[in-house]
Amino acid sequence: MSQNKHAQKSIDPASQTMLARAEQEGVETAWDRLHKQEPQCGFGMLGLCCRNCNMGPCRIDPFGDGPERGVCGANADTIVARNLLRAIAAGAAAHSDHGRDIVEALLHAAEGKAPDYEIKDKEKLAALAQELKVPREGRSEKEIALDVARKALDEFGTSKGHLELLERAPSQRKERWGELGITPRGIDREIVEIMHRTHIGVDTDYVNLILQGLRAAISDGWGGSMWATELSDVLFGTPEPHRGESNLGVLKEDEVNIIVHGHEPTLSEMIVLAAKDPQLIELARAKGAQGINLCGMCCTGNELLMRHDVPIAGNFLQQELAIITGAVEAMIVDVQCIMPALTDVAGCYHTKIISTSPKAKFSGAQHVAFDEEKALEAALEIVRIAVENFTYRNKDKVFIPSDKMEFVAGFSTEAIISALGGSLDPLLDAIKEGNIKGIAAIVGCNNPKIKHDYGHVALAEELIARDILVVETGCAAIASAKAGLLLPEAAAKAGPGLKAVCEALQIPPVLHMGSCVDISRILVVAAAVAKALDVDISALPLAGAAPEWMSEKAVSIGTYVIGSGIFTVLGTVPPVLGSSNVAALLTKGADDVIGATFAVEEDPLKAAALMEEHINAKRSGLGLP
Ligand code: BF8
């Protein structure tokens, strides 16, 4: 089977194999649909199309030959800024609504309404209680958990005027937010205010608009996402390093294959329990399978591999390819990053797509409501549906690529500190001495506009070769897992300084820190390092990158990362080039305002050079060699 032309689409051998298989089977994938969309709309790409009222849709001519204003009079600056803000609002809403669901799971567990959930990390609950000033003396764990959950829930619509976890940021950063008037007041409030301010006839000043975008995004990073991470750790355990396997080769020809795909560990944790149910394993055997093989995909996969021995089948662009193996009995989905095309692809095979969230139904999918009150019961029913579907697998259609790769994941902030011997000092010393020049975070999605996984893997390899420690989350981390960069042995690819540090600590040069909401873990580490040095985060030798980003969540992430003072390189161009003022503010002017900027660089090798240049400049600023 010729894979050469598919090597243009992905660097991942399993994906190349499955793309060839898709072609042979006549199954359409995201790459085919992108091709059919080309050339994509120029107004849309530049951010110059406004559909915010029904006098429109309006578009601004980027060449100055046509209209310079919409019907209401909005110009390119206003339209581009408003569109950007609405993307931030959607992204912050997605992360934060996920966060709210985790908070409610803890609340209901503490109230006794969600009996299948328990508090796994009691130490983390105690630490959070102390941070939130929840009394602990003489109180039961459930009483403490109830207060912690109520305080967390209050953050979404708090009237106290600022978010609680912002206290984790260094004082210099908090002061800057205060001076700019962008300290988030409540998670939901900032998102609502974006929707208000981008309505016809409200805010037109692009600078004022972008400041609100920063405020909403900060409420995601230091609010909704951070709560999702903290309370997922409380409920399901704080991750610790362990080995696992990645890529489509984790699917098994002789077992019932179930893939959990989406984002919320409240569902996937119950599926983990259900897949171990002896009666269901017995049923699988009765159907002719050797057992039940549970695998993850995208961020739910990341949540699982951080805490369990559950392999990950792939990242965003592999969701269709997994079904094309013909070996997946069920793909169980909840919310976010689930392609509507899945039901079409599944229609070519025996695979059942099982939706579970009232927020996300898919035409053609089977819906099994996942109810916290009867979580395990629902999970057992879902796994049963998958097991029974094994009967309908067509063995002639099964085609599983052999590619799989081991990884070490589970680097929560706590695990990193533990790997360093109990404090961040060894990391600080390595940075001060120059063995590690700095830290780079690579995060975000896949996007068929970029060769699948190339943006992530080439950037990570280039950075570690330059003695820059890489931390990752999301689909970026899955790309590195598949490429073998999450193994301690990958230190051989690092520069001499980083290699020595990795070998001494027995850690990989690329650390998997979790799902996309777990970028909050990176903020916590950055804040702790800044506090230890008594500087703002913007003074640290840190850089961020989203080489293959596509989602609105990624827009919110990028915005809160620069809002936290960390320079960020994007690998795909955001739709802002229709306004030279907005583009200049984000890539230049923001440095004076917030202490960090965006850059756009599609070539990962050039992106690495930009990031190293930035890190070296920050080292000089701190007086480091
Ligand atoms: O939330 S990295 S494609 S799975 S948006 Fe989605 Fe992007 Fe993957 Fe995770 Ni994050």
Side-chain angles (χ1 to χ4, degrees), residues 95 261-263 298-300 302 315-316 336-337 443-446 473-476 515-517 550-551 553-554 557:
H95 281 146
H261 172 26
H263 282 77
C298 289
C299 276
T300 254
N302 283 324
N315 49 11
F316 178 72
Q336 301 172 19
C337 303
V443 304
C445 325
N446 299 137
T473 61
C475 290
S515 64
C516 283
V517 292
M550 60 84 199
S551 73
K553 288 182 288 175
I557 292 167

Side-chain angles (χ1 to χ4, degrees), residues 103 107 111 143 145-155:
V103 175
L107 184 76
E111 288 173 339
E143 286 171 322
L146 200 56
D147 277 2
V148 167
R150 282 183 182 143
K151 284 216 170 198
L153 202 54
D154 182 56
E155 294 282 274

Side-chain angles (χ1 to χ4, degrees), residues 312-566:
I312 188 150
N315 49 11
F316 178 72
L317 277 176
Q318 289 178 285
Q319 55 189 289
E320 295 173 288
L321 306 182
I323 296 173
I324 296 168
T325 62
V328 177
E329 272 57 54
M331 188 174 274
I332 306 164
V333 302
D334 53 21
V335 290
Q336 301 172 19
C337 303
I338 300 146
M339 288 189 192
L342 285 186
T343 48
D344 292 335
V345 179
C348 304
Y349 301 88
H350 74 303
T351 307
K352 283 186 186 285
I353 306 294
I354 304 176
S355 60
T356 56
S357 168
K359 296 174 195 169
K361 294 192 177 178
F362 300 81
S363 78
Q366 180 170 353
H367 189 76
V368 180
F370 184 75
D371 175 356
E372 270 171 17
E373 280 182 37
K374 295 177 190 155
L376 187 56
E377 195 182 312
L380 287 165
E381 185 192 343
I382 292 166
V383 174
R384 177 179 296 278
I385 294 168
V387 170
E388 283 174 348
N389 198 30
F390 186 78
T391 309
Y392 301 100
R393 186 193 283 188
N394 179 348
K395 291 195 172 62
D396 296 338
K397 286 195 121 185
V398 172
F399 184 90
I400 303 173
S402 57
D403 312 86
K404 58 180 171 180
M405 178 62 77
E406 262 200 289
F407 61 78
V408 176
F411 289 95
S412 57
T413 311
E414 292 83 344
I416 291 174
I417 291 172
S418 160
L420 292 169
S423 86
L424 285 171
D425 292 348
L427 178 65
L428 288 175
D429 292 343
I431 292 174
K432 283 181 191 162
E433 286 156 11
N435 291 328
I436 295 177
K437 285 184 195 150
I439 304 175
I442 308 179
V443 304
C445 325
N446 299 137
N447 184 329
K449 291 177 180 175
I450 299 261
K451 193 192 290 185
H452 172 228
D453 287 352
Y454 172 68
H456 297 308
V457 173
L459 179 59
E461 286 182 340
E462 188 66 18
L463 287 168
I464 63 171
R466 292 169 185 248
D467 283 326
I468 294 167
L469 177 69
V470 172
V471 293
E472 295 194 330
T473 61
C475 290
I478 304 169
S480 283
K482 292 183 288 168
L485 295 176
L486 302 187
L487 291 166
E489 302 87 284
K493 293 187 172 181
L498 177 60
K499 181 169 180 267
V501 174
C502 291
E503 284 174 352
L505 296 171
Q506 279 297 298
I507 57 168
V510 179
L511 301 179
H512 188 325
M513 291 187 75
S515 64
C516 283
V517 292
D518 292 336
I519 293 168
S520 60
R521 299 189 199 276
I522 300 174
L523 295 180
V524 170
V525 174
V529 172
K531 281 180 173 172
L533 298 174
D534 193 22
V535 295
D536 194 354
I537 295 173
S538 57
L540 298 176
L542 304 179
E548 304 181 27
W549 77 274
M550 60 84 199
S551 73
E552 290 167 314
K553 288 182 288 175
V555 180
S556 178
I557 292 167
T559 309
Y560 74 65
V561 171
I562 73 152
S564 302
I566 302 170

